[in-house]
Amino acid sequence: MGSRAKNREIKWGCSNRISNGRAACDSHHVNEDTLQNTYTAAIRDMVEDAEEIMTAVKESAGLVMEPENRAALERIEQEIIDLQNAVLELHKAKQQRSVTAADYAAQIKEYGQRMQELEAQQAELQTTENRYAEVKLWLDSFAEHIQSGAIMNADDSMIMKQLVEQIIVGDDGIEVHFKCGIVASHEYL
């Protein structure tokens, strides 16, 4: 939360402390210029280590396993199709009276249980694939902004809104937490 002093200098402090007092939060106010300079320095340090960061994100996010995940998802989807075809064939066999009602019911129960297992596996793999896509999008955006130099443009807040999850202001410095799990920290300048 920002506040202006009489000399028009902007200071930032914990909104919890401002609203609820020192008992709620023991943080201090920080001059906006100091915050901005420290933030820029943290981002500059991160840009210098961009290749290392991107490699670490790829490894930690398991992007190297993405093709394996896609293959497993395709295998599960094919099993679901095969199971649906087996149910259709069983239903046709029942209509032709080549299978007893008890055998039909037992087989349908077995197919139903297997379908539930496959759908659970499919949902898990789809969630993983969605996470891979999010991280890949983040990495692509990060790489694009690193190469163009736009990440260092303080006026372009949209870039940082895409990349940053939160900024933690501490007593000695700040931590910039990116959505991919990377943390850039820097002591106050």
Side-chain angles (χ1 to χ4, degrees), residues 81-95 104 108 111:
I81 291 169
D82 293 344
L83 189 58
Q84 290 170 337
N85 288 334
V87 169
L88 182 61
E89 290 301 316
L90 180 64
H91 185 66
K92 287 179 183 178
K94 182 182 180 226
Q95 284 181 331
Y104 175 82
I108 286 293
Y111 286 160

Side-chain angles (χ1 to χ4, degrees), residues 51-67:
E51 288 300 318
E52 290 176 30
I53 290 171
M54 290 177 71
T55 301
V57 170
K58 284 180 183 179
E59 289 173 2
S60 69
L63 286 178
V64 293
M65 295 181 63
E66 183 180 12

Side-chain angles (χ1 to χ4, degrees), residues 61-63 65-67 69-70 73 77 121-139 179-180:
L63 286 178
M65 295 181 63
E66 183 180 12
N69 188 73
R70 169 73 8 229
L73 186 58
E77 289 171 349
Q121 291 173 1
Q122 181 186 35
E124 184 178 324
L125 290 168
Q126 189 63 49
T127 299
T128 302
E129 185 167 300
N130 291 343
R131 287 185 185 139
Y132 287 148
E134 287 174 15
V135 172
K136 186 171 181 343
L137 181 65
W138 186 93
L139 284 173
K179 291 180 181 175
C180 68

Side-chain angles (χ1 to χ4, degrees), residues 4 13 50 67 70 84 104 107 120 143 162 172-173 177-178 183 187:
R4 284 192 191 273
R70 169 73 8 229
Q84 290 170 337
Y104 175 82
Q107 194 64 44
Q162 290 175 359
D172 301 331
H177 291 251
F178 290 87
V183 177
E187 290 183 7

Side-chain angles (χ1 to χ4, degrees), residues 2-170:
S3 64
R4 284 192 191 273
K6 289 182 180 180
N7 63 0
R8 313 209 25 102
E9 184 177 271
I10 299 175
K11 293 192 179 239
W12 291 85
C14 176
S15 62
N16 191 25
R17 178 183 173 135
I18 293 168
S19 299
N20 302 315
R22 289 183 183 190
C25 178
D26 63 353
S27 70
H28 305 282
H29 286 77
V30 179
N31 183 299
E32 184 175 42
D33 291 338
T34 301
L35 261 179
Q36 186 172 359
N37 292 338
T38 304
Y39 171 79
T40 303
I43 299 300
R44 191 172 290 122
D45 289 349
M46 190 184 70
V47 168
E48 290 172 5
D49 298 331
E51 288 300 318
E52 290 176 30
I53 290 171
M54 290 177 71
T55 301
V57 170
K58 284 180 183 179
E59 289 173 2
S60 69
L63 286 178
V64 293
M65 295 181 63
E66 183 180 12
E68 293 173 19
N69 188 73
R70 169 73 8 229
L73 186 58
E74 289 173 0
R75 181 184 52 79
I76 294 293
E77 289 171 349
Q78 186 58 51
E79 282 187 54
I80 288 172
I81 291 169
D82 293 344
L83 189 58
Q84 290 170 337
N85 288 334
V87 169
L88 182 61
E89 290 301 316
L90 180 64
H91 185 66
K92 287 179 183 178
K94 182 182 180 226
Q95 284 181 331
Q96 296 170 355
R97 301 190 194 286
S98 60
V99 66
T100 66
D103 289 342
Y104 175 82
Q107 194 64 44
I108 286 293
K109 183 178 179 182
E110 184 181 318
Y111 286 160
Q113 289 172 344
R114 181 64 183 144
M115 182 61 81
Q116 287 178 343
E117 293 169 5
L118 289 172
E119 287 174 342
Q121 291 173 1
Q122 181 186 35
E124 184 178 324
L125 290 168
Q126 189 63 49
T127 299
T128 302
E129 185 167 300
N130 291 343
R131 287 185 185 139
Y132 287 148
E134 287 174 15
V135 172
K136 186 171 181 343
L137 181 65
W138 186 93
L139 284 173
D140 291 346
S141 179
F142 179 74
E144 176 186 330
H145 292 97
I146 290 288
Q147 290 171 353
S148 70
I151 198 167
M152 293 302 295
N153 184 347
D155 297 328
D156 194 353
S157 62
M158 290 305 294
I159 295 169
M160 295 319 292
K161 284 182 181 178
Q162 290 175 359
L163 304 177
V164 174
E165 184 173 336
Q166 66 179 339
I167 299 173
I168 298 176
V169 178

